[in-house]
Amino acid sequence: MAEKLKAGVIGLGMGSAHLAGYLTHPDVEVVAIADRREDRRALLPEKHPAFKGKVYHEGIEMIEKEQLDIISVAVPNDQHKPLTIAALESGANVLCEKPMALNAQEAQEMLDTAKRLGKKLGIDFSYRFNPQSRAMKDLIDQGTLGDIYYGRSVWFRRRGIPGLAAANFNTGSGTPMGSWFYDKKQSGGGPLIDLGVHRLDLALWLMGYPRPVWVMASTYDKFGPKMAKKLGLSYTVEDLACAMIKFDNGATLELDASWASNVRENELQTIRLLGDKGGMYQYNLNEGYTYDLEYYYEIAGRQFDAKMHTAQQTPSAFHLFAEAVRDNTPFLVQPEEGVTVMKILDAIYRSATSGEPVKI
């Protein structure tokens, strides 16, 4: 019997899902975790009773003391690059939470390090692993949409700024939990880099990752600063971003992401794709995190609508990454795609600042 892959997780916010995923894989042994927050470490026996490994305060200490095959990096965005590079240099393969980094330059450094060392670097763009999204990709790959020339990908919240929504909860250090989300130095941006990054990657993946050539964008901060000020806090990112992205194949993508806006829904997620043979529309149900999928097409000169009733369950990102490492096969999300996403996000922020289109 082959020896199990030894895994470690840094960060138990989003990293809690990473830990749960690895714990259910028969070929993975989670030997260590790291998190700076005492409350999260204290909840480990209750939330993850199957975990019996070592617990560290600092991720870098875990990297230095453990010999790991897989390390998940699930921490604030400004820590993605240093921890990922340290993990790769220790000999581990890395699954990094989205966004890949603060900017494209950092993302490229991470990619270059992984290539130089011959290690796998995956990015957890989790919406690719949604069963409906996988069904969309399968149908598109079969040619059901034909030439996709237009897309629109949206994530709106009515009032859902991370940290501010639960600012009365404290970490014990005098800082509200989640406050790093609206601190530009730690996050790199607001809903665009938090929510929009998911919607952007999903659209690009479904469209075949065409090469972006220019972006025109705007950002706004109409709600966040006022909400933060009432609590005596500083808010340094946008609360809405919108962009038009043009690709070298002539296709266009519109992207909208907002933490706070005057919309009916508390949470609205949609993606619409138009092709010359058909169209698709995926949307969330009941303002939550379950989804439905519709397909629009023409037969014999007549218009038809179809709705998917069932979707096959698909493996999690964590299982697929472990198997990519185990079998030395490609992971569903390649780091080059993460770099492309960061280049687009950088261009969106530059365009919003300058008020002009930005070439990529």
Side-chain angles (χ1 to χ4, degrees):
M1 180 177 172
E3 187 176 347
K4 288 188 176 184
L5 296 168
K6 295 189 183 319
V9 176
I10 305 174
L12 290 175
M14 290 302 298
S16 183
H18 293 238
L19 175 56
Y22 294 137
L23 286 171
T24 59
H25 197 292
D27 296 331
V28 177
E29 179 186 4
V30 186
V31 299
I33 65 93
D35 196 292
R36 291 175 174 174
R37 279 178 44 185
E38 184 180 355
D39 59 332
R40 285 178 176 165
R41 299 195 303 271
L43 286 173
L44 269 170
E46 177 185 337
K47 293 187 68 174
H48 303 284
F51 172 71
K52 306 299 181 184
K54 295 181 181 178
V55 178
Y56 292 88
H57 180 271
E58 292 292 334
I60 194 67
E61 183 185 8
M62 186 194 83
I63 291 169
E64 292 171 349
K65 290 186 175 180
E66 303 288 340
Q67 294 295 313
L68 301 170
D69 301 299
I70 295 171
I71 294 177
S72 272
V73 173
V75 290
N77 303 342
D78 63 331
Q79 299 173 47
H80 285 189
K81 183 191 113 172
L83 287 175
T84 293
I85 288 179
L88 291 167
E89 290 178 340
S90 77
N93 302 277
V94 177
L95 179 59
C96 182
E97 262 300 327
K98 62 77 193 170
M100 188 170 176
L102 287 177
N103 52 56
Q105 180 179 343
E106 288 192 354
Q108 188 65 51
E109 290 179 47
M110 294 160 65
L111 169 60
D112 291 344
T113 302
K115 282 186 171 181
R116 173 171 57 83
L117 296 171
K119 294 297 177 180
K120 293 190 182 298
L121 172 57
I123 313 302
D124 185 24
F125 287 133
S126 58
Y127 281 78
R128 290 202 201 186
F129 303 91
N130 174 276
Q132 283 82 10
S133 301
R134 295 292 292 273
M136 292 173 79
K137 181 63 172 171
D138 288 344
L139 289 168
I140 288 168
D141 287 348
Q142 292 174 20
T144 53
L145 264 62
D147 176 28
I148 300 174
Y149 57 89
Y150 172 82
R152 187 177 186 222
S153 199
V154 172
W155 194 337
F156 279 137
R157 287 177 180 167
R158 187 162 186 167
R159 297 291 186 275
I161 301 175
L164 288 183
N168 55 314
F169 295 101
N170 201 279
T171 63
S173 63
T175 304
M177 291 191 299
S179 61
W180 69 268
F181 278 96
Y182 49 88
D183 176 2
K184 192 176 181 70
K185 290 182 179 179
Q186 288 186 275
S187 64
L192 176 65
I193 206 168
D194 178 41
L195 308 180
V197 67
H198 279 303
R199 309 312 298 173
L200 176 58
D201 171 74
L202 179 60
L204 292 172
W205 179 56
L206 294 171
M207 296 171 77
Y209 255 85
R211 187 175 70 83
V213 291
W214 63 261
V215 164
M216 181 67 193
S218 296
T219 59
Y220 303 91
D221 59 354
K222 301 295 185 181
F223 297 93
K226 296 174 185 176
M227 294 169 67
K229 186 177 181 179
K230 289 180 180 178
L231 297 163
L233 302 170
S234 176
Y235 186 97
T236 57
V237 298
E238 82 281 357
D239 53 37
L240 183 144
C242 54
M244 174 179 284
I245 306 158
K246 193 72 174 180
F247 301 99
D248 64 349
N249 63 357
T252 302
L253 174 66
E254 293 185 71
L255 178 68
D256 300 299
S258 179
W259 279 337
S261 49
N262 288 323
V263 294
R264 177 178 60 82
E265 301 88 352
N266 287 319
E267 197 100 38
L268 174 66
Q269 298 177 50
T270 66
I271 183 165
R272 185 183 296 278
L273 298 173
L274 302 181
D276 58 359
K277 292 183 179 178
M280 279 186 185
Y281 183 53
Q282 184 194 42
Y283 51 94
N284 65 321
L285 299 171
N286 303 315
E287 303 179 22
Y289 288 78
T290 57
Y291 304 86
D292 219 337
L293 172 61
E294 296 178 2
Y295 169 54
Y296 317 111
Y297 57 105
E298 180 179 316
I299 299 178
R302 296 172 177 85
Q303 308 303 310
F304 288 83
D305 302 341
K307 192 170 183 177
M308 189 172 69
H309 289 273
T310 59
Q312 297 176 351
Q313 289 302 307
T314 53
S316 71
F318 322 113
H319 278 218
L320 288 178
F321 190 72
E323 286 157 16
V325 172
R326 181 194 65 192
D327 302 333
N328 194 26
T329 54
F331 180 56
L332 184 63
V333 185
Q334 291 298 300
E336 290 85 354
E337 295 166 334
V339 172
T340 295
V341 166
M342 292 312 306
K343 287 180 178 178
I344 294 173
L345 295 184
D346 286 357
I348 290 172
Y349 282 126
R350 289 200 306 272
S351 176
T353 299
S354 68
E356 300 289 340
V358 169
K359 291 185 177 180
I360 300 177

